[in-house]
Structures are given as structure tokens and as C-alpha cells.
Amino acid sequence: MSDLLERLRGRGWRMTAQRRVVAEVLDGEHVHLTADEVHARAVAKLPEISRATVYNTLGELVSLGEVLEVATDKRAKRYDPNAHRPHHHLICAGCGAIRDVHPSGNPLADLPDSERFGFTVSDVEVTYRGLCPNCAAA
Amino acid sequence: MSDLLERLRGRGWRMTAQRRVVAEVLDGEHVHLTADEVHARAVAKLPEISRATVYNTLGELVSLGEVLEVATDKRAKRYDPNAHRPHHHLICAGCGAIRDVHPSGNPLADLPDSERFGFTVSDVEVTYRGLCPNCAAA
DNA sequence: ATCCCACACTGGACAACGTCCAAGTCAAGC
DNA sequence: GCTTGACTTGGACGTTGTCCAGTGTGGGAT
């Protein structure tokens, strides 16, 4: 993802300090941050960046397909920079930790036509829930 | 689900007019209502019922396992009274319509041990996305 | 190098959704 | 019918996210 900035520039993105900072934050360790966490980390690098800009930038990255929104049952959306390798998520019900996982099989194929109600089905999102080793031990 | 009230009474629930109304609302046509929609319908039957009570009651129904929370990408959680028959959801990206679906296969079995990271995986939630016939035609 | 302006950013108000709490009310067992 | 503790109320508050008018600026044109 180090070439994210290049890809964005290639798509006609105007490169600003704020956008660079947001991209850098997402480019760090592969975690699933909320918008506010992204904002907090961005502020550490560029103190005057505003919440609105972070929200705007995240929204743009999502519509460009560079970042995925993950809707867990938590209150806030999380942003997943690992958009270029399809994957699903495993969430700990205890501490909220999120791991990327790669199930075998293709859930899309598991939905028979009779269960599609005429929909054009284009995407599937699988969320596994359970307890991580720490929370299971507690 | 007409015996919902009985089941709840059996679990030691104190039966109040408010709880009865909320249960009746969920017992109607099988749709996926937001908390505010539940509140609106409840007010129609019992004008003084408060938002807080609806939230409380929904939360209790969820922890009793009588109702499921559905986290779509929309802002508000939706409540699914069809908790006793496992199923997944198909959501229209255009209009937000939600259908219950029953895929073949078992996604839980599709997650190999090597992808479980020591988690105790207990549940899986599958969300299909696409366009309903109406939105696809538009 | 500089100018210019469309696009981006800011900060704060606002909106949607949900939670919390003190005080009042009521279901249900005696 | 009492009593009591669980339930409800209404409103304040918190969190997450959106919007907008005013200001700033990247980067192509000159």
C-alpha cells in the first residue's frame, strides 16, 4: 500500500498535507481504526487537521475502493486499508479485536437462485464472532 | 412468535403495557425495523410510551435471544424478530430493502483452524449485497 | 516564478442515534 | 389492598457523523 499516494495522484487527486497524513495513518500497521482513531493519529502528525476533513477523506477513499468500511456491531464504522485482497473478519465478542480471515469456499455460490428474489447479488460480507484466546481464558 | 409473551412471562418478565406493545409491534409482518420505527409504531398503540423504554425493551429482547440485531451499513441498528430460525440477509444497495435468505452450506465449516487464530468461533453472520429488481431496473 | 481559481480545509453548528439517571408508577406476590 | 422492587418517564447528555460559509492552497497556465 506504499504506492497508495501514487495511485491517488494518478486518479486526479489533489495532494494535500491532510490527505497525505490520512493515507499515512492507514498505511501503518494493519489495524481496523474508527474514524475518530484515524483523526487522533492524524492530529499527532498534523495538529490542525479537522474532523470534517478526516471524514471527507475516508469517504473518498472508500468510494475510490482503496479502503473498506467494516460494519461491526460496534457503534462506529471502522476502516480497513486492506481493500485489494478480498477477506472477511473475525471479531472477538469480549474485547472487540478484529482479525482478517480467508475462508475456503465462496459464500456467493452458496446462495441459490431461489433465494435471490430477483436481486443482482454483487457482494458478500462474512463476519465470524467468537472469543479470542485472552478473553476465552478470562 | 405469537407465544412470545408466554415465553417472556415464563422467564420471569414483569408484564407491562409497554412491553406488550413492543412485542406486538415486532410480532407484526416480518420486517426489519429500526428502534425509532418500533417506537413510532408503539406510540400509535400506546401514546405515552417513551423512547428509553423502547430501547430498554429491545435490548432485553436481544439479550434474551428473542430478537436479533442486524448491523447493516445504515446508521441505525435494525431488529429482526425472526431469531429462532437461523438465516442471513440480502440487502439492496439502492433502497435498503432487507430480505431474509437461507444459503446452502455452512460458512462456519469454511473457516479452517489455521484461520481461527485460537479464537473460539461461535457464530457467523453473512450479508449479501446487491440490487433489488426495482433498483436494478432504474 | 507568479497568478489564479477550482478544489480542499476549517471550525462550529446541527442531526441522528443511543444511553443514563432521578423521580414517579405499577405488576404481582403476600 | 399493601408493599416492594422492578419498570417507566422525560430530559439531559454522549457519541458519531454531516453540512456549510468562509478561508486557504495545489498545481496548471502564463
Side-chain angles (χ1 to χ4, degrees), chain B residues 77-93:
Chain B
K77 293 178 199 162
R78 293 181 172 273
Y79 291 89
D80 185 342
N82 189 15
H84 290 295
R85 205 165 306 281
H87 63 279
H88 298 292
H89 293 106
L90 169 56
I91 301 180
C92 174

mmCIF file of all heavy atoms in Angstrom, chain B residues 77-93:
data_model
loop_
_atom_site.group_PDB
_atom_site.id
_atom_site.type_symbol
_atom_site.label_atom_id
_atom_site.label_comp_id
_atom_site.label_asym_id
_atom_site.label_seq_id
_atom_site.Cartn_x
_atom_site.Cartn_y
_atom_site.Cartn_z
ATOM 1 N N LYS B 77 -29.226 0.531 13.958
ATOM 2 C CA LYS B 77 -29.409 -0.902 14.061
ATOM 3 C C LYS B 77 -30.848 -1.247 13.698
ATOM 4 O O LYS B 77 -31.765 -0.474 13.952
ATOM 5 C CB LYS B 77 -29.186 -1.363 15.504
ATOM 6 C CG LYS B 77 -27.793 -1.225 16.019
ATOM 7 C CD LYS B 77 -27.760 -1.677 17.483
ATOM 8 C CE LYS B 77 -26.535 -1.159 18.202
ATOM 9 N NZ LYS B 77 -26.698 -1.225 19.668
ATOM 10 N N ARG B 78 -31.027 -2.443 13.171
ATOM 11 C CA ARG B 78 -32.381 -2.927 12.916
ATOM 12 C C ARG B 78 -32.618 -4.165 13.737
ATOM 13 O O ARG B 78 -31.686 -4.854 14.112
ATOM 14 C CB ARG B 78 -32.571 -3.214 11.423
ATOM 15 C CG ARG B 78 -32.526 -1.946 10.619
ATOM 16 C CD ARG B 78 -32.723 -2.099 9.143
ATOM 17 N NE ARG B 78 -32.845 -0.773 8.560
ATOM 18 C CZ ARG B 78 -33.990 -0.113 8.460
ATOM 19 N NH1 ARG B 78 -35.114 -0.679 8.878
ATOM 20 N NH2 ARG B 78 -34.024 1.091 7.941
ATOM 21 N N TYR B 79 -33.882 -4.440 14.006
ATOM 22 C CA TYR B 79 -34.217 -5.554 14.893
ATOM 23 C C TYR B 79 -35.017 -6.579 14.126
ATOM 24 O O TYR B 79 -35.998 -6.254 13.461
ATOM 25 C CB TYR B 79 -34.975 -5.022 16.116
ATOM 26 C CG TYR B 79 -34.061 -4.201 16.979
ATOM 27 C CD1 TYR B 79 -33.906 -2.830 16.774
ATOM 28 C CD2 TYR B 79 -33.289 -4.801 17.956
ATOM 29 C CE1 TYR B 79 -33.017 -2.084 17.540
ATOM 30 C CE2 TYR B 79 -32.400 -4.072 18.728
ATOM 31 C CZ TYR B 79 -32.268 -2.714 18.518
ATOM 32 O OH TYR B 79 -31.379 -1.982 19.262
ATOM 33 N N ASP B 80 -34.577 -7.811 14.240
ATOM 34 C CA ASP B 80 -35.126 -8.906 13.452
ATOM 35 C C ASP B 80 -35.803 -9.897 14.393
ATOM 36 O O ASP B 80 -35.151 -10.585 15.162
ATOM 37 C CB ASP B 80 -33.977 -9.579 12.704
ATOM 38 C CG ASP B 80 -34.478 -10.657 11.763
ATOM 39 O OD1 ASP B 80 -35.623 -11.103 11.932
ATOM 40 O OD2 ASP B 80 -33.706 -11.048 10.875
ATOM 41 N N PRO B 81 -37.133 -9.957 14.343
ATOM 42 C CA PRO B 81 -37.848 -10.835 15.270
ATOM 43 C C PRO B 81 -37.715 -12.309 14.911
ATOM 44 O O PRO B 81 -38.126 -13.164 15.682
ATOM 45 C CB PRO B 81 -39.303 -10.369 15.138
ATOM 46 C CG PRO B 81 -39.388 -9.710 13.809
ATOM 47 C CD PRO B 81 -38.018 -9.222 13.449
ATOM 48 N N ASN B 82 -37.132 -12.606 13.780
ATOM 49 C CA ASN B 82 -37.064 -13.990 13.316
ATOM 50 C C ASN B 82 -35.818 -14.674 13.884
ATOM 51 O O ASN B 82 -34.986 -15.195 13.147
ATOM 52 C CB ASN B 82 -37.046 -14.007 11.786
ATOM 53 C CG ASN B 82 -37.206 -15.399 11.219
ATOM 54 O OD1 ASN B 82 -37.607 -16.321 11.926
ATOM 55 N ND2 ASN B 82 -36.881 -15.546 9.960
ATOM 56 N N ALA B 83 -35.708 -14.691 15.211
ATOM 57 C CA ALA B 83 -34.457 -15.139 15.819
ATOM 58 C C ALA B 83 -34.365 -16.647 15.943
ATOM 59 O O ALA B 83 -33.300 -17.182 16.198
ATOM 60 C CB ALA B 83 -34.302 -14.506 17.205
ATOM 61 N N HIS B 84 -35.482 -17.352 15.765
ATOM 62 C CA HIS B 84 -35.454 -18.781 16.067
ATOM 63 C C HIS B 84 -35.187 -19.655 14.856
ATOM 64 O O HIS B 84 -35.118 -20.868 14.971
ATOM 65 C CB HIS B 84 -36.759 -19.189 16.752
ATOM 66 C CG HIS B 84 -36.842 -18.618 18.137
ATOM 67 N ND1 HIS B 84 -35.972 -18.989 19.136
ATOM 68 C CD2 HIS B 84 -37.634 -17.660 18.669
ATOM 69 C CE1 HIS B 84 -36.260 -18.309 20.230
ATOM 70 N NE2 HIS B 84 -37.256 -17.487 19.981
ATOM 71 N N ARG B 85 -35.070 -19.066 13.693
ATOM 72 C CA ARG B 85 -34.687 -19.835 12.526
ATOM 73 C C ARG B 85 -33.448 -19.163 11.959
ATOM 74 O O ARG B 85 -33.523 -18.029 11.480
ATOM 75 C CB ARG B 85 -35.825 -19.822 11.494
ATOM 76 C CG ARG B 85 -35.820 -21.016 10.555
ATOM 77 C CD ARG B 85 -37.165 -21.114 9.839
ATOM 78 N NE ARG B 85 -38.276 -21.128 10.781
ATOM 79 C CZ ARG B 85 -38.661 -22.201 11.466
ATOM 80 N NH1 ARG B 85 -38.043 -23.338 11.309
ATOM 81 N NH2 ARG B 85 -39.659 -22.119 12.326
ATOM 82 N N PRO B 86 -32.287 -19.799 12.038
ATOM 83 C CA PRO B 86 -31.059 -19.124 11.604
ATOM 84 C C PRO B 86 -31.148 -18.728 10.130
ATOM 85 O O PRO B 86 -31.638 -19.489 9.308
ATOM 86 C CB PRO B 86 -29.970 -20.182 11.835
ATOM 87 C CG PRO B 86 -30.691 -21.480 11.949
ATOM 88 C CD PRO B 86 -32.053 -21.173 12.474
ATOM 89 N N HIS B 87 -30.710 -17.571 9.832
ATOM 90 C CA HIS B 87 -30.795 -17.086 8.454
ATOM 91 C C HIS B 87 -29.829 -15.930 8.278
ATOM 92 O O HIS B 87 -29.258 -15.430 9.243
ATOM 93 C CB HIS B 87 -32.222 -16.628 8.152
ATOM 94 C CG HIS B 87 -32.664 -15.480 9.006
ATOM 95 N ND1 HIS B 87 -33.126 -15.643 10.283
ATOM 96 C CD2 HIS B 87 -32.678 -14.147 8.782
ATOM 97 C CE1 HIS B 87 -33.428 -14.472 10.809
ATOM 98 N NE2 HIS B 87 -33.151 -13.548 9.920
ATOM 99 N N HIS B 88 -29.668 -15.522 7.026
ATOM 100 C CA HIS B 88 -28.782 -14.409 6.758
ATOM 101 C C HIS B 88 -29.543 -13.347 5.996
ATOM 102 O O HIS B 88 -30.754 -13.467 5.819
ATOM 103 C CB HIS B 88 -27.545 -14.913 6.007
ATOM 104 C CG HIS B 88 -26.769 -15.900 6.829
ATOM 105 N ND1 HIS B 88 -26.097 -15.536 7.975
ATOM 106 C CD2 HIS B 88 -26.595 -17.231 6.709
ATOM 107 C CE1 HIS B 88 -25.525 -16.598 8.505
ATOM 108 N NE2 HIS B 88 -25.820 -17.647 7.771
ATOM 109 N N HIS B 89 -28.850 -12.299 5.566
ATOM 110 C CA HIS B 89 -29.580 -11.173 4.984
ATOM 111 C C HIS B 89 -29.039 -10.763 3.628
ATOM 112 O O HIS B 89 -27.852 -10.857 3.358
ATOM 113 C CB HIS B 89 -29.559 -9.988 5.948
ATOM 114 C CG HIS B 89 -30.340 -10.251 7.200
ATOM 115 N ND1 HIS B 89 -29.740 -10.490 8.406
ATOM 116 C CD2 HIS B 89 -31.679 -10.375 7.416
ATOM 117 C CE1 HIS B 89 -30.678 -10.725 9.325
ATOM 118 N NE2 HIS B 89 -31.852 -10.672 8.754
ATOM 119 N N LEU B 90 -29.988 -10.322 2.815
ATOM 120 C CA LEU B 90 -29.679 -9.818 1.480
ATOM 121 C C LEU B 90 -30.188 -8.391 1.441
ATOM 122 O O LEU B 90 -31.368 -8.133 1.670
ATOM 123 C CB LEU B 90 -30.414 -10.691 0.449
ATOM 124 C CG LEU B 90 -30.460 -10.217 -0.992
ATOM 125 C CD1 LEU B 90 -29.058 -9.974 -1.536
ATOM 126 C CD2 LEU B 90 -31.180 -11.250 -1.857
ATOM 127 N N ILE B 91 -29.274 -7.454 1.179
ATOM 128 C CA ILE B 91 -29.615 -6.038 1.295
ATOM 129 C C ILE B 91 -29.454 -5.339 -0.034
ATOM 130 O O ILE B 91 -28.449 -5.506 -0.723
ATOM 131 C CB ILE B 91 -28.702 -5.362 2.343
ATOM 132 C CG1 ILE B 91 -28.875 -6.065 3.698
ATOM 133 C CG2 ILE B 91 -29.014 -3.889 2.456
ATOM 134 C CD1 ILE B 91 -28.031 -5.475 4.787
ATOM 135 N N CYS B 92 -30.463 -4.555 -0.397
ATOM 136 C CA CYS B 92 -30.388 -3.787 -1.645
ATOM 137 C C CYS B 92 -29.579 -2.519 -1.400
ATOM 138 O O CYS B 92 -29.912 -1.719 -0.526
ATOM 139 C CB CYS B 92 -31.776 -3.423 -2.144
ATOM 140 S SG CYS B 92 -31.696 -2.341 -3.584
ATOM 141 N N ALA B 93 -28.543 -2.339 -2.213
ATOM 142 C CA ALA B 93 -27.690 -1.167 -2.049
ATOM 143 C C ALA B 93 -28.415 0.097 -2.491
ATOM 144 O O ALA B 93 -28.002 1.203 -2.146
ATOM 145 C CB ALA B 93 -26.407 -1.340 -2.868
#
